[in-house]
Amino acid sequence: RRLPSGGSTTLIRRPPDGSDMENDRGSLTPRDAENQKKEVQLRVFPPEMKFLDTVAGKVYRLPITVHNLGRWSQRIRFQEPIKPQFKLLVSTLDRALASGLQMTAIVEYHPDKNENINDQLYITIGNKTLEIPIFGLIPVCKLDIDSEVNFGTLVANSKVYCKEITIVNHGKAPGTFNTEYQGQLPIIISPTSGIVAPESSTVIKVDFCADQPRIVNEKANVILQGRADLLLTICAHVVEQIIELLSKTSDKKLECIDFGSVFFGTSKIEHALLHNYSPEPMNWVAIMQDDSVGQELGTDIHQRTDIALNNLTHVRKMKTMDSTTFISCVPNEGSLQPYEKMLITFCFSPKLIADVKKKIDPSHRQDYAVFLRFETVGSKDRFSTDDNYKTTKSDRFKKVELALTGSGIPVLLQFEPGKILNFSPCVVGEHSELACIIKNQSKSLPVTYNFKKSAHFKIDPEKGKIDEGCIQNVLCSFIPHQIGVFKVKQVIELLGLVADENRQSALMKPFYHVYLEFNSICKPSIKNDRMKITPGMLFSIKGTGQFVIKDLDTYKESAPIAMLQSNKTSLHTHQSNQWSRKDELIALPNDRSGSIRPGDHRKHFRTIFTKTPRYNYVDPDYAYNELEKMRNEIHDNYYTMYIKHLRSVRLKQEKESRESMYPYNDTDIGLQPASGLKSPSPSETDIEEDLSSPDGLTPADELLSTSHITSKEKQSLRRRVHKELKSEPSTPEEKDHCSTILSPKQIHQVIVGPSVLNFGNICVNSTSDHPLHIVNMLPIHIVIHLDADLEELRKTNQFSYVIPPISSTYISIIFESATIGKFWKSFTFTVNNVPGGHILVMAVVRPVKLELSSDQLILRPQGFLMKTCFQGTIRLYNRQNCSAKFEWQPVNTERGIAFCIRPAHGTVEAYSSLECEVKWQPSFNAPEKGEFILHVLEGNTLTLKCVAHVIISLERSFYFESYRLVGYTYVCIITYI
């Protein structure tokens, strides 16, 4: 029995009747009968012997093992192979092998030629023979390759993706491979053929350009030496790079956000989700489309047409306003990871732009409708040529448009009986009231009000909310606390949601103020209560004016109590008066409460009569000690001097600035106003210095607009850079600018395009150039670096360029390839070392080729001269970008060569043609047919067939003279049909 390779061969012999020997152990049969029934089992390993990777002149050995699995001893006989290259190394060819034992023999192979040889080794057991095949094999290749290349999920952005697969040679001989893809998709396999060294591997690159959405499942033929043809499966799932806006609540696509009606001065905030629905990260930027169709800026759509036409000046003024001042988007730039969602905040803050000729009324309603576009950042063409109708379907998914609508309405409050309220006069302790009605004339929004507190007046309720079209009754009260005439401007705050500086949240703040005028008088109250006073103490009481002494004259002549007046005696005048200070104050008799409280230690008091220092109580628990008083005084002096110093510095700077701005202001040079003197125009150097300031970059919170980008682009295109550009920044200013890290919004203002460099059909080993347009709309220098690590673009002069601010230029990309076939590769570029996008390079590389105007030329006679009778022309066309060298080779026939062509060799320039002349030399044995072979150097080969058909006819020509036959002439004419 023969087993597969790697197993063993077992020979089993059983009794003829098939009975089991175990059951016959105790039988009384003769001994010979029992021997015939003995079981024969033999295992041979290996079942076949292969000498692999053998070379002539060397010796190879392999062991073979024979194992007796039977229960009795067996005699084994070996028979050597027939061919002399094989030799059996064993002590004896005939040997008995006991049960359970094994023996090993050696087979030796010494090849004399590098060729495959096979033979057999025979092992005999009794009357059974086992055949063991023996093979001597020369080294061969064993090539192996993966059967699938899976690119996974890709984005349709015209980027070339590369996957590598490995062909492994496990053998000890080199092997060849060939790959071929015959499909129509942009798939390139390189190299298409090659040799894999023994026990090594070769990497094959599979390039795939994701140009449009599709499901790729292509097959490529792979031919490996020593194996059957394989099919290489190329799989990919190409999807659109979709950017979309979703509702925050329902995750549905969002096309419009309606802010509704908003009071001027307030804000309304809405949110949306920006979704990157693609498997690759992307940078995005928001752009306000302020030149789109359907935009409305501050137009009252409810207004009649005749009224709008009557106010065209105001309408034009509204059209020129910047839409980014009342619409904000935060954030307006950023990066999104695959399938990531980002919260976007939109803020609508309308501002009242009123016509000064009209009073604020409901007609000042201003309706807005603007369009905001979100798009990805990358390589692109010019903005001014951007047209949604010309863009491809794939490009439309890379941008999404959102409509924003809203209305700004003024605050309209009506007060009855008016804004001037005159309260009836009253005295202290009394009050007067007026009822006021506040009406909210707005029919779309409620009003929240708050009366500011003011002295002597009280409003009930002080705060509240008036619904749209409703009224609020307010009770205004005049409660005076002192006498006088009162004219108070009462402030009414209108509260609303006002956005903060970040435009991401809004707080309830006053956004509008209304002023009411309150007028009233508080009269003094006159009472008859007499005040008992002591004559001689004449003083007036400064108070509320409630008690005024009216009957002092009755006490001037006589007093009920005799009392000495202090100004007519010196009884109480003490000697200490001579040291009295000038800054001392006189204490009144009734200021006892002031004398028992801690006062200012710098003030001194004396009594009114005795002029003695008044007692001043100092509480030691609360009063400053001397050290603390000194420290406070030093502190006050320090800040006083500091403020005086700041004021002196400010005045000095203002004086110097005035002198520098108007150095000759005091000199009269006799110029009259508007006399024709014009200001000098700024030079180009001044403009460049102004533009080169990094501060001119767009702020992070400011939205880009299409009109702003278009104007910047036109300005940059006018400043064309013709001189050679630097590859690296050299000046300190350029180094500072080029080290600036740009945001996606700033990179979006740098145009590097076109995004596809299509060189078309070009010849192998020929150069072709294509311009790459670069526009820098930023006010700083930038450095553009092309990461074009491609062998085909190695002849490009440089790959790094320093672009001046607000300028544009063209650079030349040179392509040359030594490989025939389609070329699809992409490379990335950076702006100030920040990734900016990628550019696709396409070409079809073809061999040098010439075309014939016709592959067969038939010669016609052109006259009667034999040398020029038969001649014609053939034209060679070169429709490619490289000059082609050619040579004509005539084909010799049995009758010789009768045709000649001039020029026999030469050059046809690119995109031109050359005319060649063919002649036939007639003779007795000249062949009428001939051929020329056109050999193009490193190009194609063509064949031109030439034919000359000849017919001889005899014609007679007669002429008469004087009506007599003079003679005749036989003329032989050779004519071509």
Side-chain angles (χ1 to χ4, degrees):
R1 180 167 67 157
R2 191 173 175 185
L3 298 179
S5 177
S8 61
T9 300
T10 305
L11 180 64
I12 303 175
R13 186 170 61 188
R14 296 184 181 274
D17 57 356
S19 60
D20 194 354
M21 296 183 63
E22 293 290 337
N23 299 329
D24 299 337
R25 263 187 165 184
S27 63
L28 301 177
T29 58
R31 184 73 176 177
D32 293 337
E34 290 185 4
N35 291 337
Q36 292 179 2
K37 295 182 180 180
K38 288 180 181 178
E39 180 182 1
V40 179
Q41 291 185 356
L42 188 68
R43 177 178 295 171
V44 180
F45 181 81
E48 61 181 7
M49 306 183 71
K50 289 184 178 181
F51 294 90
L52 303 175
D53 303 325
T54 60
V55 180
K58 293 186 178 182
V59 178
Y60 303 91
R61 293 180 178 178
L62 283 178
I64 182 169
T65 302
V66 179
H67 190 193
N68 184 8
L69 301 178
R71 305 170 71 180
W72 290 273
S73 176
Q74 301 290 341
R75 181 165 294 278
I76 300 173
R77 179 177 295 177
F78 291 93
Q79 182 179 350
E80 291 190 2
I82 299 175
K83 294 183 179 180
Q85 289 87 351
F86 297 100
K87 185 178 180 180
L88 180 63
L89 302 179
V90 66
S91 58
T92 177
L93 297 178
D94 191 356
R95 181 178 177 181
L97 188 63
S99 174
L101 298 183
Q102 64 182 15
M103 65 172 293
T104 301
I106 301 298
V107 179
E108 187 179 84
Y109 174 56
H110 46 89
D112 54 358
K113 295 181 181 179
N114 290 329
E115 61 180 1
N116 295 330
I117 300 176
N118 63 304
D119 204 342
Q120 293 85 24
L121 175 66
Y122 296 96
I123 302 175
T124 303
I125 306 172
N127 58 354
K128 299 293 183 179
T129 301
L130 185 64
E131 179 183 343
I132 305 298
I134 304 176
F135 300 94
L137 304 176
I138 62 175
V140 293
C141 62
K142 295 181 179 179
L143 300 180
D144 190 15
I145 188 174
D146 294 334
S147 61
E148 183 181 72
V149 178
N150 194 344
F151 287 89
T153 304
L154 305 176
V155 172
N157 54 3
S158 297
K159 187 176 180 180
V160 177
Y161 298 86
C162 180
K163 285 282 187 180
E164 295 182 351
I165 57 174
T166 304
I167 299 179
V168 182
N169 186 1
H170 300 284
K172 294 186 178 181
T176 61
F177 70 90
N178 288 276
T179 60
E180 183 181 6
Y181 172 69
Q182 298 179 348
Q184 301 299 323
L185 298 185
I187 297 176
I188 298 176
I189 303 176
S190 63
T192 57
S193 61
I195 299 176
V196 185
E199 296 182 347
S200 64
S201 61
T202 299
V203 176
I204 295 180
K205 294 183 178 180
V206 180
D207 295 332
F208 171 66
C209 180
D211 56 344
Q212 57 180 323
R214 65 181 92 198
I215 297 177
V216 179
N217 190 9
E218 295 291 301
K219 305 292 183 180
N221 295 324
V222 180
I223 302 174
L224 301 178
Q225 182 180 351
R227 292 188 58 178
D229 294 352
L230 301 176
L231 289 179
L232 178 64
T233 304
I234 303 173
C235 302
H237 183 202
V238 186
V239 298
E240 294 283 2
Q241 187 176 32
I242 301 177
I243 181 173
E244 58 185 7
L245 279 169
L246 305 177
S247 175
K248 182 182 177 181
T249 56
S250 60
D251 278 352
K252 294 182 179 179
K253 288 187 177 181
L254 194 63
E255 296 181 354
C256 178
I257 292 180
D258 186 11
F259 291 98
S261 298
V262 179
F263 281 127
F264 291 112
T266 61
S267 303
K268 191 170 184 180
I269 292 177
E270 296 289 345
H271 297 89
L273 294 176
L274 187 65
H275 186 204
N276 176 17
Y277 191 55
S278 63
E280 288 190 1
M282 69 175 180
N283 295 331
W284 62 273
V285 63
I287 301 176
M288 180 65 71
Q289 300 185 98
D290 51 5
D291 56 355
S292 59
V293 179
Q295 176 180 265
E296 292 292 342
L297 294 178
T299 305
D300 188 0
I301 60 176
H302 300 284
Q303 199 174 41
R304 295 205 315 262
T305 305
D306 56 344
I307 299 177
L309 293 175
N310 194 30
N311 195 15
L312 290 178
T313 304
H314 181 67
V315 174
R316 295 190 191 99
K317 180 180 179 181
M318 298 297 298
K319 293 295 183 182
T320 58
M321 67 181 301
D322 187 5
S323 56
T324 60
T325 58
F326 58 88
I327 292 287
S328 65
C329 172
V330 180
N332 51 45
E333 61 179 339
S335 301
L336 284 174
Q337 296 302 316
Y339 303 104
E340 183 186 2
K341 296 179 182 179
M342 179 180 290
L343 183 65
I344 307 296
T345 303
F346 302 95
C347 182
F348 176 54
S349 304
K351 297 180 180 179
L352 178 62
I353 301 179
D355 190 356
V356 296
K357 299 180 181 179
K358 292 184 177 181
K359 186 180 179 181
I360 303 298
D361 56 15
S363 65
H364 281 82
R365 172 193 176 98
Q366 296 174 4
D367 298 314
Y368 301 90
V370 296
F371 299 91
L372 194 62
R373 186 176 68 211
F374 296 83
E375 60 181 71
T376 59
V377 178
S379 58
K380 54 188 171 296
D381 296 326
R382 294 169 50 186
F383 286 103
S384 56
T385 59
D386 185 14
D387 189 355
N388 290 332
Y389 296 100
K390 297 180 181 179
T391 56
T392 62
K393 181 181 178 181
S394 179
D395 293 335
R396 292 185 181 182
F397 288 103
K398 297 180 181 179
K399 59 183 70 173
V400 61
E401 189 177 72
L402 177 66
L404 302 173
T405 61
S407 301
I409 59 175
V411 177
L412 299 175
L413 295 179
Q414 182 179 356
F415 296 88
E416 293 181 4
K419 290 188 177 181
I420 301 177
L421 300 179
N422 296 318
F423 293 85
S424 59
C426 61
V427 298
V428 176
E430 297 179 356
H431 67 277
S432 60
E433 297 177 347
L434 282 179
C436 180
I437 299 176
I438 306 176
K439 182 179 181 180
N440 180 15
Q441 293 181 320
S442 175
K443 297 182 179 179
S444 55
L445 290 176
V447 174
T448 302
Y449 68 92
N450 178 33
F451 282 87
K452 296 285 289 184
K453 291 183 178 297
S454 58
H456 311 290
F457 292 94
K458 183 179 180 181
I459 294 90
D460 185 28
E462 291 184 353
K463 58 182 66 177
K465 182 178 180 181
I466 308 175
D467 293 332
E468 50 270 23
C470 297
I471 61 173
Q472 175 69 44
N473 295 318
V474 177
L475 182 63
C476 302
S477 303
F478 174 57
I479 308 175
H481 301 287
Q482 66 183 38
I483 62 174
V485 178
F486 298 93
K487 293 183 179 180
V488 176
K489 183 176 288 188
Q490 176 64 49
V491 180
I492 305 177
E493 294 179 342
L494 300 183
L495 306 179
L497 292 175
V498 180
D500 56 4
E501 295 181 356
N502 298 327
R503 301 292 184 91
Q504 291 185 320
S505 60
L507 299 176
M508 206 69 175
K509 295 180 180 179
F511 70 93
Y512 190 73
H513 295 84
V514 179
Y515 299 95
L516 300 179
E517 186 177 343
F518 290 169
N519 299 323
S520 186
I521 299 175
C522 179
K523 298 180 179 181
S525 61
I526 301 176
K527 294 185 179 180
N528 295 324
D529 298 338
R530 294 184 178 182
M531 181 180 178
K532 295 182 180 180
I533 62 173
T534 302
M537 299 179 60
L538 302 178
F539 57 90
S540 61
I541 300 176
K542 295 182 180 179
T544 60
Q546 187 175 2
F547 300 100
V548 180
I549 300 175
K550 298 294 185 179
D551 52 355
L552 288 178
D553 294 338
T554 58
Y555 297 96
K556 286 184 180 179
E557 295 181 355
S558 60
I561 301 175
M563 183 169 286
L564 184 64
Q565 295 183 359
S566 61
N567 59 351
K568 294 182 180 181
T569 180
S570 59
L571 177 62
H572 298 284
T573 302
H574 297 261
Q575 295 182 357
S576 61
N577 292 342
Q578 56 183 341
W579 295 289
S580 62
R581 303 177 182 179
K582 294 182 178 180
D583 58 348
E584 288 182 341
L585 303 176
I586 301 299
L588 295 177
N590 57 352
D591 72 336
R592 178 176 177 81
S593 60
S595 63
I596 61 174
R597 64 184 178 188
D600 192 351
H601 68 279
R602 290 170 294 184
K603 295 182 179 180
H604 302 277
F605 294 88
R606 287 183 178 270
T607 59
I608 188 173
F609 297 117
T610 61
K611 307 299 189 299
T612 58
R614 192 194 66 176
Y615 169 74
N616 189 18
Y617 171 74
V618 176
D619 191 348
D621 294 333
Y622 299 97
Y624 289 115
N625 55 29
E626 294 299 330
L627 181 60
E628 291 175 341
K629 293 177 182 178
M630 185 182 300
R631 185 172 56 195
N632 292 344
E633 186 175 358
I634 294 174
H635 184 270
D636 294 341
N637 293 337
Y638 173 79
Y639 279 99
T640 302
M641 298 301 297
Y642 176 70
I643 294 172
K644 289 182 179 179
H645 172 71
L646 291 180
R647 182 175 181 274
S648 63
V649 172
R650 178 175 56 82
L651 294 176
K652 183 179 179 181
Q653 291 177 351
E654 292 178 356
K655 182 179 179 181
E656 292 177 354
S657 63
R658 286 195 301 268
E659 291 177 354
S660 62
M661 292 177 60
Y662 309 103
Y664 307 105
N665 192 31
D666 297 335
T667 305
D668 186 7
I669 59 177
L671 289 178
Q672 299 295 329
S675 60
L677 184 63
K678 297 182 179 180
S679 301
S681 59
S683 63
E684 186 176 355
T685 305
D686 298 335
I687 296 176
E688 290 182 358
E689 291 178 356
D690 185 25
L691 293 175
S692 63
S693 174
D695 297 336
L697 293 174
T698 306
D701 57 345
E702 183 178 340
L703 266 175
L704 285 179
S705 61
T706 53
S707 60
H708 173 76
I709 294 178
T710 304
S711 63
K712 283 284 188 180
E713 181 185 3
K714 292 180 180 178
Q715 186 179 357
S716 302
L717 293 175
R718 287 195 297 267
R719 299 185 61 194
R720 177 83 176 272
V721 179
H722 299 280
K723 60 182 180 180
E724 186 177 356
L725 296 173
K726 301 177 183 178
S727 60
E728 296 293 337
S730 58
T731 64
E733 181 185 25
E734 291 176 354
K735 292 180 180 179
D736 181 48
H737 289 179
C738 294
S739 62
T740 304
I741 300 177
L742 302 179
S743 64
K745 182 166 54 179
Q746 294 161 353
I747 294 179
H748 192 68
Q749 300 178 59
V750 178
I751 298 177
V752 180
S755 58
V756 178
L757 296 179
N758 192 351
F759 289 88
N761 298 329
I762 62 174
C763 292
V764 63
N765 295 325
S766 66
T767 59
S768 179
D769 60 344
H770 197 291
L772 186 65
H773 194 196
I774 300 178
V775 181
N776 178 21
M777 294 182 284
L778 299 177
I780 61 173
H781 292 82
I782 60 172
V783 56
I784 303 289
H785 181 72
L786 307 178
D787 299 328
D789 189 16
L790 302 176
E791 183 68 20
E792 290 75 11
L793 302 180
R794 66 187 183 278
K795 288 193 175 181
T796 304
N797 295 331
Q798 64 186 68
F799 294 97
S800 183
Y801 304 89
V802 177
I803 311 299
I806 314 296
S807 62
S808 63
T809 186
Y810 282 93
I811 61 176
S812 181
I813 304 297
I814 301 176
F815 179 87
E816 181 182 6
S817 178
T819 305
I820 297 176
K822 294 182 179 181
F823 181 85
W824 297 71
K825 292 286 185 179
S826 61
F827 65 88
T828 60
F829 65 89
T830 60
V831 184
N832 284 11
N833 295 325
V834 178
H838 68 274
I839 295 176
L840 175 65
V841 181
M842 297 174 53
V844 179
V845 184
R846 295 182 175 180
V848 182
K849 181 181 179 182
L850 289 180
E851 298 179 6
L852 293 174
S853 57
S854 177
D855 58 355
Q856 185 175 5
L857 180 63
I858 302 176
L859 303 181
R860 296 177 180 272
Q862 302 296 328
F864 294 96
L865 296 177
M866 297 298 293
K867 294 183 179 181
T868 61
C869 184
F870 289 92
Q871 64 180 7
T873 59
I874 192 74
R875 186 169 290 275
L876 302 178
Y877 292 98
N878 184 5
R879 307 183 190 277
Q880 299 187 11
N881 67 317
C882 179
S883 60
K885 295 183 180 181
F886 69 92
E887 183 180 1
W888 289 103
Q889 179 185 355
V891 179
N892 195 0
T893 62
E894 296 178 355
R895 298 168 59 185
I897 301 175
F899 293 89
C900 65
I901 188 169
R902 293 291 182 274
H905 57 83
T907 302
V908 184
E909 299 298 330
Y911 304 109
S912 62
S913 62
L914 179 65
E915 193 173 56
C916 297
E917 184 181 32
V918 181
K919 292 183 180 181
W920 180 65
Q921 299 293 336
S923 63
F924 177 75
N925 196 26
E928 294 85 3
K929 296 182 180 181
E931 289 185 2
F932 291 95
I933 299 177
L934 177 65
H935 295 281
V936 182
L937 183 62
E938 297 181 356
N940 60 332
T941 300
L942 299 174
T943 301
L944 174 63
K945 295 182 179 181
C946 301
V947 180
H949 287 209
V950 180
I951 298 178
I952 301 176
S953 63
L954 184 64
E955 297 181 2
R956 296 175 179 177
S957 177
F958 299 91
Y959 66 93
F960 297 89
E961 183 178 4
S962 300
Y963 303 102
R964 291 185 300 110
L965 180 62
V966 176
Y968 60 91
T969 303
Y970 291 94
V971 181
C972 181
I973 300 176
I974 303 175
T975 305
Y976 168 78
I977 300 177

